[in-house]
Amino acid sequence: MKQILFGLVLLVWAGLGLSACSPTTTATSAETIRIRWARDPDNLDPLLVDNPSAFEVTNLLHCSLLKGNEAQNRFVPWLAEAQPTTRPLGDSLLLVTYRLRPQATWDNGSPVLARDVAFTLKVMNCPGLPIERDQATFGFIRNIQLDAHDPRQFTLVCAGQSGDRVSISGDFSILPEYVLDPRGTLRTVPLPQLALPRFQSVAQAFARRYQALNLARHPERLPGCGAYTLTAWQPGRYLTLRRKARWWADSLPAPPPELQAFPPQLTYQVIPDATTATMALRRGEIDLYALMPAAEFARLQHASPDQTSLRFYTTNSYEFLTANFNVRRPALRDALTRQALTYLFDIPALIRATQQGAASPSAGPISPRIARYYNDSLPLPSFSPARAAALLRQARWQRQPDGSWQRQGAQATTERLQLTISYRAGEPSFETVALQFRSAALALGIPVQLHPTEQSLLSRQLRAGEYDMNIRQLAGNPFSYDFTSLLHSRGIGNGNTTGFSTPQTDRLIEAIPLATSPAEKARLLRKFQRALAYERPFSVLYFMRYRVAASRRLGVVPVMGLVPGYEASRIRLEKKPTTR
Amino acid sequence: MKRQRRSRRNWPRVLAFGWLTGVASAALLAPSSLLAPDLLHTNQPPFLPSHWLGTDPQGQDVARALVQGARTILLVSLPAAILTLLLGAGLGSIAGFWGNTRLRLTRSVGVAGAALVLSALLFAAPLLARGVVGGIGLLAAAALLGWVLHRTVWGRRPWALPADALVAGLIVLLDSVPLLILVLLVAAVQRPSAGGLVLLMALTCWTTPARLMRAATLQARGHTYVEAARVAGLSDWQLLRWHIWPVTWPVVLVRFPLTVSLLIGLETTLSFLGVGLPPDTPSWGRLLAGIRQSPTAWWLLVWPGVTLLLTILSLQYLSRRKM
């Protein structure tokens, strides 16, 4: 009996010892590049990705037909062999013809074909799936025609004949039909007829199969044709991608930058707190930290141990900080109140305090760097509590003897002007903005409560419209100007978290991508910016500069002005000098 | 000569009193309005005009934040300490005086009490968010339940409440989890309001006063004059009020400065970790947390650190002298 007991104890200890010694999924090797993320992707279903972390992963797992290239200031071929050819069809339609790269294959070795593109479009239009976001952005693709002689060639039938339509028509991840629909049940269903009752059962059966995969949490069940596969994901902690040992683009004689993938393994570590992330970088626990707070960045640049262990990069970005107003709230439903509140942000002082002066104020969501489209006749927002008070009076708010503001609302109710302002906890610049606004608002008699909130909870609150004001970053790019998901009535409940829409702005949002000449596009964009400057669904505080700090064990990091500020797949490890 | 020696021995006591009086005066005289952050002088070092003790990364004046933080201490830690002592003393008295068999209640009271405790545990997060209003609402609901049950025959039947076992079990349960982890766990689920924080700290820190009170009550209960009073026909409540509490109360009272010091430390730690009071409420812990954003700003560590240290040391010294 004693021997059995001794054996059991020995077994338990051996088990514990082995489990302690065995490598965990987070174990890092010398080849792993560790990148800091401020937030978790939350959801990696290709139909639902809606935050920068999720987009970054999706672009490493999957390929689109085209990809935005900042250096060339346009979309360039990615999975497509070349830029698409276009041909107008009647007055309003455009035929956009693509041919896929012949080398492109899925993980099972089968080629990526036009029918995969057709399948992807059907998924994006399948009733029963969460397709609202894709419908808002890609709803203009009405049909796809497969080439009878070339299985890699196809033509998209698009509504609108502008260049923007052509670019956006190639900006969605291509999904593998062999994984999601191995029996090809959707193959016989024409894209425009997918929503018809006679195909309802087929679509519903497919939607059930798709939902059962739970891709939001198990993206590994959907292998893409990108260079990486997901090997581990602990939500809120880390996510690891491993480069495919044999990726189809390796066979290209001179792969373009879009098809280069150097790091054998990428590990993203979720560290919401900026200070903790800086400490992790200094201790060598992460290799790359993008969007570092300006003060920390400047301090590390001048600290002698960090100068030798880190490299520092900055670049202008298309990402901007905004104060969003929930226009569904009675107190914020009128434009004059929103305009008034905008005058309470001291933007020059905030730029100085949070960005060390390295940011650009803007009159709207288009960067002042894009001179062609930026409406420079609009005044930059200024700090003026007196102007704010005057606008509040115009909006029928009345100052009470106790200093607060009230007005008669609908059905003879009394509305009080008091606000909550929510933002991601752990981000010092957001807190500084919130504190400055609170202080200015309080001086004017408007009570403001600060709600620093954990990111995933904050995202849920934004989607549900459970906030008054919110501080967040929004990212744009210089090649496409489709504001549908952000500000159109079709985007409400998805990307349009402010709940804002007016018939005028809806019309402008629809017209901008259809503009066929740069002059017309500029005219519409300027008009749109003017409308936004009046309506103020959000106030743009400033366009940021990306600040990237990276370990010197990495080579020169390719930084860019597009989200996330660097090209992870093109980071190389520093070559060690060989000794003889 | 003797007087001189005594005054020399008393000077730390005078200093402690003086310091605490200073903190209390600062708290009472602190301006209630918040200054606009000075965004042109963020992280400014001390001893420069306009901000003599420097500024934090948000441009808040450190001196003003220290003074207003003292008010937060007074408004949070002091009520929390009083509530902690009252709760601990109350539960300790019940456990020590009635033991496991002497407290006979009607079933209606037992069921209503159990429902109250269960509801408080199940809905802790929303209750903490609503502070005192939530607590009063819950109490009213429990009272209503008790009243309805008491109108039935079943509800009026007597039942012996094992008070000592229940309180001892609760003490063991709460003491088995480290205090900070327990408070963090609850605060992380739902950021508490100021009232909620007071309630949360009281609900987690009452065990030591309760243990002291239980022991003192057990001792006092055995005294002959208590037995004599009982024989003379005094009710349990009269016994407690006139014969037990006058003896046991000082035992808990000497614990007061220590409890305040514990709760100041806890509140500061929570603010430092960013789970305590809202960010626009000035607090020493929040000021200390500024050092994480600006590690070279030594003044964010020194001024609130010294203030906190002196306050806690003064409270601990005074409690030792009392004992």
Side-chain angles (χ1 to χ4, degrees):
Chain A
M1 187 63 197
K2 264 187 182 174
Q3 278 175 338
I4 292 173
L5 202 67
F6 179 71
L8 269 175
V9 170
L10 203 68
L11 204 66
V12 170
W13 274 105
L16 285 174
L18 280 175
S19 67
C21 298
S22 62
T24 63
T25 44
T26 50
T28 56
S29 68
E31 292 182 324
T32 303
I33 292 176
R34 299 154 302 168
I35 298 172
R36 180 259 182 171
W37 263 346
R39 61 178 295 187
D40 194 70
D42 291 336
N43 192 323
L44 284 173
D45 184 331
L47 295 176
L48 290 170
V49 285
D50 71 342
N51 72 50
S53 306
F55 278 118
E56 188 174 355
V57 175
T58 304
N59 282 335
L60 291 164
L61 297 176
H62 304 280
C63 292
S64 307
L65 298 168
L66 305 174
K67 188 178 191 183
N69 184 305
E70 192 191 11
Q72 297 185 36
N73 199 22
R74 60 179 186 148
F75 280 89
V76 295
W78 192 6
L79 201 55
E81 192 177 42
Q83 288 287 359
T85 55
T86 59
R87 188 161 48 91
L89 182 66
D91 289 342
S92 60
L93 297 178
L94 185 71
L95 300 177
V96 185
T97 303
Y98 286 93
R99 188 171 189 278
L100 297 168
R101 289 180 189 273
Q103 299 89 349
T105 55
W106 299 108
D107 286 0
N108 67 350
S110 61
V112 181
L113 297 175
R115 69 164 186 245
D116 289 305
V117 181
F119 167 75
T120 306
L121 286 170
K122 287 171 192 171
V123 174
M124 289 159 57
N125 284 274
C126 182
L129 288 178
I131 54 172
E132 293 79 10
R133 182 178 296 269
D134 281 337
Q135 281 297 295
T137 312
F138 303 105
F140 67 90
I141 303 176
R142 299 289 162 82
N143 200 358
I144 179 168
Q145 298 165 351
L146 306 188
D147 191 299
H149 307 291
D150 186 347
R152 291 190 175 82
Q153 188 157 308
F154 58 92
T155 299
L156 301 178
V157 182
C158 301
Q161 299 181 332
S162 68
D164 269 15
R165 287 291 198 229
V166 180
S167 308
I168 299 170
S169 73
D171 192 24
F172 55 90
S173 299
I174 306 301
L175 307 178
E177 186 191 39
Y178 82 95
V179 175
L180 293 172
D181 189 22
R183 284 181 292 171
T185 55
L186 292 184
R187 210 177 283 175
T188 52
V189 183
L191 177 63
Q193 296 174 22
L194 194 59
L196 294 183
R198 66 191 166 112
F199 293 114
Q200 195 180 6
S201 59
V202 180
Q204 279 179 350
F206 174 76
R208 274 197 300 275
R209 286 202 305 276
Y210 186 95
Q211 303 271 28
L213 285 172
N214 190 14
L215 296 175
R217 288 285 166 195
H218 293 281
E220 73 281 358
R221 292 173 182 165
L222 184 65
C225 58
Y228 290 86
T229 52
L230 189 140
T231 55
W233 180 23
Q234 281 283 321
R237 289 183 58 210
Y238 65 87
L239 182 145
T240 302
L241 301 173
R242 173 157 282 284
R243 193 190 187 283
K244 290 170 185 168
R246 293 172 62 191
W247 183 43
W248 59 268
D250 295 338
S251 61
L252 294 173
E258 292 72 32
L259 290 171
Q260 292 172 353
F262 303 124
Q265 186 159 301
L266 290 163
T267 293
Y268 292 93
Q269 303 211 354
V270 183
I271 311 175
D273 186 73
T275 316
T276 313
T278 306
M279 282 164 66
L281 179 71
R282 298 184 78 189
R283 284 202 298 256
E285 289 164 4
I286 55 172
D287 298 312
L288 191 143
Y289 179 2
L291 265 178
M292 179 182 272
E296 275 298 274
F297 191 77
R299 188 175 67 80
L300 296 193
Q301 273 182 309
H302 298 105
S304 56
D306 301 310
Q307 277 176 332
T308 53
S309 63
L310 301 173
R311 283 197 182 96
F312 301 92
Y313 310 86
T314 56
T315 182
N316 286 317
S317 80
Y318 298 93
E319 192 161 347
F320 50 96
L321 192 71
T322 60
N324 299 276
F325 301 105
N326 184 355
V327 305
R328 289 159 287 207
R329 291 280 197 251
L332 297 171
R333 66 173 179 266
D334 63 297
L336 287 173
T337 305
R338 301 194 294 265
Q339 283 176 31
L341 295 174
T342 300
Y343 280 105
L344 298 179
F345 288 101
D346 189 353
I347 295 171
L350 285 171
I351 289 177
R352 189 176 160 146
T354 64
Q355 306 294 311
Q356 306 261 303
S360 320
S362 172
I366 291 175
S367 168
R369 287 164 59 209
I370 309 170
R372 184 195 282 178
Y373 298 135
Y374 178 69
N375 191 338
D376 51 6
S377 63
L378 292 172
L380 288 174
S382 58
F383 178 62
S384 173
R387 183 92 184 96
L391 281 166
L392 286 178
R393 282 190 203 98
Q394 279 184 43
R396 296 185 299 105
W397 292 101
Q398 288 175 341
R399 196 102 197 237
Q400 302 302 304
D402 64 353
S404 66
W405 296 81
Q406 284 186 7
R407 73 176 172 191
Q408 286 296 310
Q411 295 162 352
T413 52
T414 304
E415 287 174 7
R416 271 177 65 84
L417 187 55
Q418 53 188 13
L419 302 162
T420 60
I421 185 161
S422 54
Y423 54 92
R424 189 177 77 219
E427 177 57 54
S429 59
F430 291 7
E431 191 157 298
T432 307
V433 172
L435 282 168
Q436 185 274 318
F437 176 78
R438 178 192 183 275
S439 160
L442 207 59
L444 202 63
I446 307 168
V448 176
Q449 280 190 338
L450 307 194
H451 283 184
T453 311
E454 190 271 324
Q455 181 60 56
S456 57
L457 177 62
L458 184 62
S459 301
R460 280 201 296 276
Q461 288 176 352
L462 290 183
R463 276 196 291 272
E466 294 166 356
Y467 71 99
D468 293 342
M469 285 178 69
N470 162 260
I471 295 167
R472 64 189 292 214
Q473 288 156 341
L474 292 172
N477 68 60
F479 356 96
S480 74
Y481 298 91
D482 188 349
F483 294 94
T484 310
S485 66
L486 189 65
L487 289 164
H488 197 279
S489 52
R490 287 207 302 269
I492 293 175
N494 294 305
N496 185 350
T497 54
T498 60
F500 167 81
S501 75
T502 65
Q504 185 208 6
T505 51
D506 274 5
R507 276 197 303 275
L508 281 168
I509 290 169
E510 286 159 18
I512 290 164
L514 300 177
T516 47
S517 72
E520 190 193 352
K521 191 162 149 185
R523 186 183 63 78
L524 290 169
L525 278 171
R526 281 163 188 257
K527 196 172 172 187
F528 181 60
Q529 288 171 79
R530 183 166 291 284
L532 285 187
Y534 178 79
E535 293 290 347
R536 294 274 169 200
F538 54 71
S539 286
V540 177
L541 303 181
Y542 48 77
F543 273 80
M544 295 179 291
R545 267 179 83 75
Y546 280 148
R547 293 171 295 272
V548 179
S551 160
R552 281 188 182 267
R553 69 182 277 266
L554 310 185
V556 175
V557 174
V559 292
M560 58 178 180
L562 306 176
V563 174
Y566 54 85
E567 292 177 81
S569 62
R570 293 183 60 223
I571 300 173
R572 289 175 192 264
L573 289 164
E574 186 82 322
K575 280 181 190 154
K576 286 180 185 163
T578 50
T579 49
R580 285 169 189 264
Chain B
M1 188 67 187
K2 232 180 204 176
R3 192 179 295 162
Q4 224 174 11
R5 210 178 298 149
R6 195 181 300 155
S7 71
R8 212 177 292 149
R9 228 183 293 142
N10 272 349
W11 72 263
R13 189 182 173 82
V14 173
L15 273 182
F17 255 123
W19 176 259
L20 290 178
T21 312
V23 170
S25 313
L28 292 172
L29 299 174
S32 54
S33 64
L34 289 175
L35 264 189
D38 186 351
L39 295 177
L40 300 180
H41 298 103
T42 54
N43 279 329
Q44 182 180 283
F47 312 123
L48 292 172
S50 76
H51 302 290
W52 284 102
L53 295 186
T55 59
D56 73 356
Q58 264 79 39
Q60 305 275 3
D61 186 71
V62 171
R64 198 178 170 97
L66 277 177
V67 172
Q68 290 183 326
R71 168 175 289 173
T72 308
I73 292 276
L74 212 66
L75 290 179
V76 173
S77 304
L78 217 58
I82 293 169
L83 208 60
T84 301
L85 285 189
L86 286 177
L87 189 66
L91 288 172
S93 297
I94 292 170
F97 186 74
W98 279 292
N100 282 329
T101 52
R102 293 184 194 176
L103 185 58
R104 300 187 78 79
L105 306 169
T106 57
R107 283 177 177 173
S108 58
V109 175
V111 170
L116 177 72
V117 172
L118 266 177
S119 314
L121 289 174
L122 284 174
F123 306 110
L127 280 174
L128 281 174
R130 280 166 185 80
V132 182
V133 179
I136 291 173
L138 193 67
L139 277 175
L144 184 71
L145 177 68
W147 180 76
V148 169
L149 286 176
H150 199 72
R151 295 176 71 86
T152 65
V153 179
W154 181 88
R156 284 194 294 272
R157 283 192 188 144
W159 170 64
L161 178 76
D164 195 20
L166 275 176
V167 172
L170 267 176
I171 290 175
V172 171
L173 188 73
L174 280 175
D175 285 355
S176 62
V177 184
L179 179 63
L180 184 61
I181 291 180
L182 192 68
V183 176
L184 272 179
L185 207 71
V186 181
V189 174
Q190 172 80 49
R191 179 184 280 274
S193 61
L197 190 66
V198 168
L199 205 64
L200 174 64
M201 293 204 293
L203 286 175
T204 46
C205 299
W206 58 270
T207 54
T208 309
R211 222 185 285 118
L212 283 173
M213 195 64 166
R214 178 180 171 273
T217 310
L218 275 174
Q219 201 179 13
R221 202 182 67 182
H223 288 158
T224 45
Y225 67 87
V226 176
E227 286 301 322
R230 191 189 293 280
V231 171
L234 263 65
S235 67
D236 282 353
W237 169 247
Q238 285 170 323
L239 278 176
L240 261 179
R241 172 71 185 83
W242 301 113
H243 296 283
I244 304 277
W245 279 344
V247 182
T248 55
W249 190 243
V251 179
V252 177
L253 211 59
V254 292
R255 181 76 199 169
F256 183 68
L258 278 177
T259 309
V260 176
S261 121
L262 170 79
L263 291 173
I264 287 175
L266 187 60
E267 187 275 314
T268 310
T269 311
L270 288 177
S271 295
F272 179 81
L273 295 172
V275 291
L277 295 164
D280 43 349
T281 308
S283 135
W284 294 349
R286 203 182 132 61
L287 207 53
L288 270 171
I291 194 75
R292 296 172 67 232
Q293 284 175 34
S294 308
T296 50
W298 56 266
W299 54 95
L300 296 178
L301 187 69
V302 170
W303 305 136
V306 167
T307 316
L308 185 67
L309 190 75
L310 287 178
T311 308
I312 289 178
L313 281 180
S314 301
L315 284 165
Q316 293 197 341
Y317 183 80
L318 288 181
S319 73
R320 205 169 66 225
R321 297 299 296 171
K322 266 194 172 180
M323 278 196 263

